[in-house]
Amino acid sequence: MLRPLVTLSVCFLIAACGAAGLFGPEDYTPAEATTTVEATAFLTENAPPPDGAADSKGDGILRDANNRPFSYALLGKKLPEFSATMADGAVFESAALNRWTVIDIWGAWCSDCLADGPYVAALERAIAQDPDLDFVSIHVPASKARATPEEMFGKYGSLEAYFEAAGYLVPTALDTDGSLRETLTISWTPTYLLVSPDGVVRGFRTDLSVAGSEPVKDFLRDVARVKKTVGNAQGPMMGPAGVLGITGTTPFTLAAIEAAFPGHTVVSTTEGEGATAQPVFQVRTPGTETPRFIVEADWSRGFVSRVRTNDPTVEGPNGIRVGSTRYSDLRQEELAGCGSLGAGEDLSISCKTSVDAPYLLLYFRSDKTGAPPLAQMSFHPPVPSPSP
């Protein structure tokens, strides 16, 4: 899980929390929405808005009668890379996000954001219990023109004072000039985004406080539905940074492996016979007997030393897959870590992404084509050194 919780704040104490200063030309006359449909649904794609939606702010975005948008510009696209400084001086990098992540964009100036506060606190607590889901909260100003401390924090004067009054506290990073708001093309606060491990924005919605009787549970159900749909379509990913929940030193225990591979069935078994038999965990897709991953232990059997796969549904760096990718498909920069194994017709090639753990090893089995196919990928996490 991504801890601590990161909050990037942009909220204004105003009745409607759309972006300020985004209106059209001076002679622009705002249109008035006549639709009775509220823009509070969880969206996975931008669909045509209902009749009566209007461009009430002159920014080309069709909205409901409360100015909430019916679409989000980055839905289905890669989340732009950004960094933000947290209140304690630490730096948050979006490039570090490698799990499913819920991003909350809000501000202490915004009445709708304040109404969502109790739901955000409950949402973060729920997400903290999910090993496959992270939470990032972002505090932004209403616009670049309204980024003074007085305008950003409204009657509270500071973020610390807001949290004290609200009765909860989360570590917070600040967009102090509105640049992050522009980068993320935010037209309404609060905005909630769901980002997949490959960095694509998979879901969007506005306020939780107007979403019905169980807004947090409903939101998490939507998140689970999207995770399942995307996971079934894409399959898991393996790279130099890890595979699913195996990204660093991991205990070789059933509980740890089950937590690292949510949505899979984990079976404890052995490989080899007699004195050479070694314990392994098979990670299977539910309802199947064929392992998607094999998890091996280090010499002490205390930690995970290798996770390997022969499954063609598992995607490696740059889209490579077992069976369909050949050695000749590798990019020039990827060949630097490759070396030969064996000789003659038994010649195979292994490609290591790093000289130190963690690293990814690609194994190409020789064949008569001269362009050996990828036969196996394996991730090697760091393992503690044995005690002297």
Side-chain angles (χ1 to χ4, degrees), residues 60-298:
I61 299 173
L62 296 180
R63 302 170 183 267
D64 68 7
N66 294 306
N67 288 329
R68 296 184 181 92
F70 281 106
S71 62
Y72 177 59
L74 297 180
L75 192 58
K77 300 179 181 179
K78 283 277 191 179
L79 184 76
E81 290 192 5
F82 64 88
S83 62
T85 302
M86 296 173 61
D88 63 0
V91 176
F92 170 76
E93 300 283 351
S94 65
L97 299 177
N98 60 2
R99 302 183 192 271
W100 284 93
T101 304
V102 172
I103 302 180
D104 165 34
I105 298 102
W106 68 287
W109 47 267
C110 163
S111 60
D112 292 301
C113 298
L114 302 186
D116 263 26
Y119 300 102
V120 171
L123 179 63
E124 191 277 331
R125 289 195 300 269
I127 290 177
Q129 305 305 312
D130 187 338
D132 192 39
L133 188 62
D134 288 332
F135 182 84
V136 177
S137 181
I138 303 179
H139 189 283
V140 297
S143 70
K144 284 188 172 181
R146 302 182 61 178
T148 65
E150 292 77 14
E151 291 171 308
M152 286 184 64
F153 305 118
K155 66 180 182 181
Y156 299 102
S158 69
L159 199 60
E160 293 79 3
Y162 162 74
F163 283 128
E164 183 176 356
Y168 71 99
L169 175 65
V170 293
T172 303
L174 299 172
D175 174 15
T176 58
D177 59 7
S179 59
L180 181 56
R181 180 175 188 131
E182 288 192 357
T183 296
L184 298 178
T185 64
I186 300 302
S187 62
W188 178 264
T189 51
T191 280
Y192 300 88
L193 306 178
L194 175 64
V195 181
S196 54
D198 58 355
V200 175
V201 179
R202 303 287 181 177
F204 159 82
R205 71 154 297 130
T206 59
D207 317 45
L208 293 174
S209 61
V210 295
S213 59
E214 295 186 322
V216 173
K217 288 184 178 180
D218 289 342
F219 181 75
L220 290 175
R221 291 189 190 104
D222 288 328
V223 169
R225 172 175 53 83
V226 174
K227 287 171 59 180
K228 182 177 181 180
T229 301
V230 173
N232 289 342
Q234 290 189 328
M237 300 181 69
M238 174 181 280
V243 52
L244 294 180
I246 305 290
T247 58
T249 301
T250 304
F252 188 72
T253 64
L254 179 61
I257 305 307
E258 287 179 334
F261 292 93
H264 291 76
T265 300
V266 179
V267 178
S268 177
T269 184
T270 59
E271 287 187 336
E273 298 179 357
T276 63
Q278 296 292 329
V280 298
F281 289 111
Q282 290 187 357
V283 181
R284 305 172 181 174
T285 301
T288 67
E289 297 296 323
T290 303
R292 174 172 273 178
F293 301 99
I294 299 292
V295 183
E296 303 175 17
D298 69 332

Side-chain angles (χ1 to χ4, degrees), residues 78 198 236-241 314-322 324-326 329-335 353 360 362 364 374 377:
K78 283 277 191 179
D198 58 355
M237 300 181 69
M238 174 181 280
V314 178
E315 184 176 331
N318 301 314
I320 65 174
R321 295 178 186 269
V322 168
S324 59
T325 298
R326 293 186 174 271
D329 296 331
L330 294 187
R331 299 177 181 180
Q332 189 62 40
E333 61 270 20
E334 295 170 330
L335 300 177
T353 57
L360 185 71
L362 309 178
F364 295 84
L374 180 62
M377 294 188 292

Side-chain angles (χ1 to χ4, degrees), residues 14-45:
I14 54 179
C17 298
L22 296 179
F23 291 91
E26 291 183 3
D27 59 352
Y28 171 77
T29 301
E32 184 175 347
T34 59
T35 180
T36 58
V37 178
E38 294 188 338
T40 57
F42 184 94
L43 303 181
T44 57
E45 61 182 359

